[in-house]
Amino acid sequence: MRMLGVSSDYTSRLVQTLKSLDEKGFEIFTNSQVTSINQDSISRLLDFLLTLKNIKRISVGAAGFSLYRGELKFKEYKAKLSAVEALKERMKDLMAKYGDTISINFAGYSERSGFFEKAQEEKKKDFGDRARCSGNFYAFVILPDGKVTICEELYWHPRFIIGDLKKQSIIEVWNSPQALELYNLYREMLREESECKSCAEFNHCHKYKGVCWKEVLYAFGVENWDYPDPKCPLARNPLREFYF
């Protein structure tokens, strides 16, 4: 109720909806976010979900930083790291017990140690082993007004708008000058203060696995889109506290 600003019967109606779907044989997939408000009740939520005979996937993640609410709001709603770590261990136990029949997943989260306390060689290895970003490689996101961006968390940041489906077809957006320019990023497009400007790995880094653009904006601000991924061993320390 506090998180969503809903009426007092919202939870009971939602629970009844899940029970009704379960009784009718619908496969159920859930995705929950942990905040400072609900961190102590997620364990009870898991107990309830496991009573559903048609539950197929349970995903839980720690609510992360928002580009549009800032550091102060994040500090208000982020869960305690101790609570997140305890929940992570609980999920591991559930995976071991139910993993053959239910997909149970605890999403990763950014920790301070990943940016400040790792040795350069460890940072280099971890960054090299990162997952490939799907944005502008094999996915895009349609915004409510028809404009298209490469990631659901970048919203209307002008650097990442690659088209407009009110005026273009999907294939036209996918092959638009904006999409191709972002994919074929050139050093000339970057400012001198960006570490990427003179990096020897620039082309390989951006075209092979890409960077996490949202974390670039989280760490350095929306105006510094051309800075390196904060997990890059050559990146400066984050300017904002977006981690746990």
Side-chain angles (χ1 to χ4, degrees), residues 203-221:
N203 290 326
H204 178 76
C205 177
H206 281 273
K207 287 190 177 180
Y208 178 54
K209 287 190 173 179
V211 300
C212 183
W213 292 110
K214 70 173 185 180
E215 286 212 339
V216 174
L217 303 190
Y218 285 176
F220 305 117

Side-chain angles (χ1 to χ4, degrees), residues 142-176:
I142 305 167
L143 296 167
D145 63 355
K147 287 187 170 59
V148 178
T149 183
I150 65 167
C151 170
E152 71 276 9
E153 294 196 50
L154 297 175
Y155 292 95
W156 284 271
H157 191 296
R159 178 66 259 180
F160 304 103
I161 297 293
I162 61 173
D164 188 340
L165 286 177
K166 297 194 305 296
K167 304 172 183 177
Q168 300 163 283
S169 67
I170 286 177
I171 197 66
E172 286 171 338
V173 170
W174 188 247
N175 292 296
S176 68

Side-chain angles (χ1 to χ4, degrees), residues 3 10 19 25 28 34 36 45 60 70 72 114 124 142 144 165 183 188 197 213 217:
M3 288 190 295
Y10 180 89
K19 288 181 176 178
I28 297 170
V34 187
S36 58
L45 169 65
V60 177
L72 292 178
K124 186 174 181 180
I142 305 167
L165 286 177
Y183 177 77
E188 292 73 25
K197 184 82 170 182
W213 292 110
L217 303 190

Side-chain angles (χ1 to χ4, degrees), residues 23-157:
E23 290 168 5
K24 297 297 183 181
F26 283 86
E27 294 185 348
I28 297 170
F29 299 71
T30 65
N31 187 359
S32 306
Q33 296 295 303
V34 187
T35 72
S36 58
I37 295 172
N38 69 357
Q39 61 189 12
D40 296 325
S41 61
I42 293 291
S43 190
R44 295 199 303 276
L45 169 65
L46 294 173
D47 290 339
F48 163 68
L49 293 175
L50 290 168
T51 67
L52 303 173
K53 59 182 180 294
N54 289 303
I55 188 79
K56 297 299 179 185
R57 185 172 69 206
I58 300 173
S59 296
V60 177
F65 185 86
S66 167
L67 287 173
Y68 307 97
R69 302 308 297 271
E71 284 181 271
L72 292 178
K73 277 293 179 183
F74 180 51
K75 288 176 181 178
E76 284 181 22
Y77 68 73
K78 76 173 177 178
K80 291 181 181 177
L81 182 57
S82 58
V84 173
E85 289 175 337
L87 184 57
K88 184 178 179 181
E89 291 305 309
R90 171 91 199 277
M91 297 290 281
K92 279 184 183 178
D93 292 340
L94 294 180
M95 288 176 207
K97 186 174 182 179
Y98 298 99
D100 291 340
T101 55
I102 305 171
S103 173
I104 296 175
N105 174 60
F106 186 82
Y109 52 92
S110 295
E111 293 187 73
R112 185 185 190 281
S113 59
F115 306 101
F116 293 95
E117 296 162 22
K118 284 186 179 179
Q120 283 297 96
E121 283 305 308
E122 187 181 3
K123 272 189 173 184
K124 186 174 181 180
K125 181 183 182 304
D126 289 349
F127 190 60
D129 292 339
R130 70 191 184 281
R132 186 176 196 177
C133 173
S134 63
N136 209 34
F137 280 109
Y138 52 87
F140 65 50
V141 175
I142 305 167
L143 296 167
D145 63 355
K147 287 187 170 59
V148 178
T149 183
I150 65 167
C151 170
E152 71 276 9
E153 294 196 50
L154 297 175
Y155 292 95
W156 284 271
H157 191 296

